[in-house]
Amino acid sequence: MKAVQKSFRRWICLEIRIADKAGFCFGVDRAVKLVYESLEKGCTVTLGEIIHNPDVVSDLSVRGVRVVEAVDQIRDGETAVIRSHGVSAQVCRQLEDRGISYIDGTCPYVKRIHNIVREKSESGYIVVIMGDSEHPEVQGIAGNCINEPVIIADDRGLTEFLKKNNGNSQKRLAFVAQTTYNINMWSVCKKLIAEYIGDCEIYDTICSATNDRQNEAAELAARSDIMIVAGGKNSSNTRKLYDICKRVCPKSFLVENASELNMIEMLKGFSDISNVRIGITAGASTPAHIIKEVKNQMSEKLQNMDEDFNFEEAIDASFKRLYTGNRVKGYITAVNNTEAIVDIGTKQTGYVSLDELTDDPSLKPADVVKVGDEVEFIVLKVNDAEGYINLSKKKVDAMVGFDKIVKAKDEDAVLEGVVMSVVKGGVLASTNGVKVFIPASQATMRRDEKLEELVKKTVNFKIIEVNEQKGKAVGSIKEVLKAEREAAKAKFWESVQVGDKFKGEVKSITDYGVFVDLGGIDGMVHISELSWNRIKHPSEVVAVGDVLEVYVKDLDKDANRISLGYKKDEDNPIVKFENEYNEGDVVKVKIVSITPFGAFAQIIPGIDGLIHISQIADKRVTNVKDVLSIGDEVDAKITEIDSEKKRISLSIRALLEENAAESDAE
Ligand code: F3S
C-alpha cells in the first residue's frame, strides 16, 4: 500500500493558465460600473439582476441596491438602472410616464440590435430573432419591434419556419441573433436562410466578445487536462462556455466561486498527475476577483497536499459507499436489449435488468430509460469482488407510488388505476406502479354487477386503508361513485325546473305508478300520467328497463320529490278526435256501456260518445238493452261536439232517417 502513496508536492507542476478574455465583457463591465456610480445619487434599483452572478448581486444588495422585476415595483424617488440585456420600448415608456429617472446600461451592441429591429419593422419587414425566447435580451429585442417578431431557438425551428414561409410571405424577412447566440449554430442558420430564401436581410449581431471568449476557451480547454469555468450557474453564457470546454476537455468543471473547487473530484481518473495542465476561463458576468480567487485557491490546495497524501485512498473515499436497500440516483450510461448500465458515482458499475426496470413484458429497456437520464434506484446487491451493483428502478417506482397512495389517503384524493384481475374477495387495481386491493363490496354500486366486467377498465377509486409497513393498500371504487352521484344530485337539484325534459330508465313499477332514474335521482310517473286511456296497472304501458322520455310536472326540493309526466299532448285522444272528426260525420262505433238513458260507444280509443235512448232507433225504445248490447259495432252520426264539456252526441236514428228519406226520394 505504501508503494502507491504519492507526494504531490513533488509531482504537481503548477501550470494554471487563465484565459485572457475570461470574465466581464465590455458591456457588463460598463453596466456594473454604472450601478456602482449611481449609488452616489441615492436609492438605486436594477431592473432584473444587473448580471447573473450571485456574488456581485449580493454585494450590491448590501449597499442598498434593490432588484425589481417590473416598473411598478419602483418607488418614487428611486433611480433605476437598465442592465446590459436591455429592455423593451414599452418599459422605457413606463419609466418616462412615471417620471422615474433611469440610467440606461444597455450594452451598445444590444442597442444596435434594438435599432435594427425597430427600423426594419417600421419598414414593414418581419423580424426573425434567433435566440432563446425566455432570455431577457431577446424579450427586450422583441419589445423594440413595431410589429410581432418571430423568435426561433435553433436550426430545427428555423427549417420549419422557412419551409412554411417559403414563397408564401408577402413581407421581407430580417434576421438578427441574440448577442450570445452560438456561433456555429448561427452559421448553420445562415446557410439554411440562403438555401430557402434569397431575398432577405441578415444581420450578424453575435457579440465578438462572446465569440472571442468561446474560441479562446475552446483553445485553452484543448491544451488543458482540467478546465475550470467560473461563473453563475444561471448565466446562459457561462453555461455555453462550459459546454464548449466540456466538448474539448472532458474534465471541465463549472464553479460559481473558489469554494466550489473539489480537488479530489477534479483529479479523479489521473493515473499520472505530473504536469497536469489546468485552464481557467469565466463567463461574461464573472468579476475579476472571483477568477483570481479560483486561481489562487487552486494553487494553494495543490501546494498543501503534503507528502503523506494518498491519492488513491482519497479517491476511494470520494466514492459513495452503498449497501443493499440504499436509495441512490444515477445516470444511464448505456442501454442494451436486456439491461441498462448506470453510473451511480461508485467504484462499481450499476446494472439494472429489464425485469427490475418495468413490470410490463412488452417493453424493452430502451422504452423505459435512455442514455443520460437521471434515475433513482434501490440497491439490490453490491458485489465488491466483481465490481458491480444490481439495481432496481421498479422498486423505487413502487415506493414513490406508495408515497402517492399514502398522500392520496391523507388528502382523501381520487386515484386513477386499471383493474388488473379478479382475486378472491375483490379485484386488484394498479396505480402508480402499486397494486391496490378493492374488496367486492367496494368495487361496484350494486351487488349484482359482475367483477369480471371491470378487468382492464380504467377506474377511479379512493384509498380507504393503508398498511405502510406491509406496503398494502385497500381502495374503494364505490366511494367515488357515491360521491359522484351525490355531486350529480346536488347539481341536479340546483338546476332542475318544472318543464325540464329527461330520458330515464324505468327502475321499478308499483300499482300507482313507475319510478324513473333520471341519472342518480328517481322521479315518479303516476299511473294517470302514463296513458290517455284508462289503464288498470302501469305494466299495461311500460316495463322495467324501458327508457322513457319524461318531463318534470312538479317539484318538491325540500322533500327531494319529483313528479314526472309522460303522456304527450299530441297523443291526447280529445285533440286527435277534434283534429279528425266533425259534427255530421258518420262513424263506426263500439258499444262500451249501457245505461237506462242510452249507450256509450267508443269512437276512437279514449273517446266515447253517448247515443241517447231517443237516438238509438227510428221508433220508440223503452229499454236500451232491447236494441243494443255491449260489444256491438254500429254506424252512428256525430250530431254534436261540445268541446267545453267534452261531450259527444251520437245518433243511429238520424242515420236511419236519412237513409229512409234517401230511399223515398229514389
Ligand atoms: Fe455586450 Fe457583448 Fe457583453 S453584447 S454585454 S459586450 S457579451
Side-chain angles (χ1 to χ4, degrees), residues 532 569-581 604-608 641-648:
W532 289 103
D569 276 349
E570 59 264 35
D571 297 332
N572 186 340
I574 293 180
V575 176
K576 241 178 172 175
F577 174 80
E578 286 178 346
N579 287 341
E580 291 174 23
Y581 297 90
I604 56 172
I607 297 293
D608 296 345
I641 298 173
D642 187 337
S643 297
E644 259 179 45
K645 293 182 183 162
K646 297 194 169 49
R647 266 200 321 236
I648 301 158

Side-chain angles (χ1 to χ4, degrees), residues 10 50 90 95 98 107 123 218 224 239 244 272 294-295 331 336 393 403 450 490 513 520 538 551 558 577 661 664:
R10 198 172 61 242
I50 192 71
Q90 194 199 0
L95 287 165
R98 277 199 52 199
C107 172
S123 315
S224 302
R239 290 208 71 86
I244 289 168
D272 176 1
V294 167
K295 185 190 175 217
Y331 290 94
N336 59 39
K393 174 178 182 297
D403 289 347
K450 289 210 171 80
Y551 64 94
D558 294 332
F577 174 80
D664 289 348

Side-chain angles (χ1 to χ4, degrees), residues 34-44 60 63-65 103:
L34 284 173
V35 181
Y36 279 96
E37 280 165 21
S38 73
L39 290 174
E40 292 157 18
K41 295 183 188 161
C43 300
T44 301
L60 285 170
R63 292 164 196 262
V65 177
I103 298 162

Side-chain angles (χ1 to χ4, degrees), residues 128-196:
V128 182
I129 307 165
M130 296 304 302
D132 174 3
S133 60
E134 300 292 314
H135 194 282
E137 181 196 315
V138 173
Q139 290 169 349
I141 296 170
N144 276 281
C145 295
I146 304 300
N147 48 27
E148 187 76 15
V150 179
I151 304 173
I152 301 174
D154 53 21
D155 53 343
R156 226 170 341 144
L158 180 64
T159 309
E160 261 174 47
F161 170 78
L162 293 172
K163 276 185 185 165
K164 223 188 295 166
N165 281 272
N166 196 9
N168 295 334
S169 180
Q170 300 298 316
K171 294 186 175 176
R172 292 184 68 202
L173 302 170
F175 292 85
V176 294
Q178 187 179 341
T179 54
T180 48
Y181 199 65
N182 183 290
I183 191 104
N184 296 328
M185 179 61 79
W186 180 232
S187 306
V188 173
C189 292
K190 284 200 287 187
K191 274 188 202 140
L192 282 170
I193 297 166
E195 200 180 302
Y196 282 91

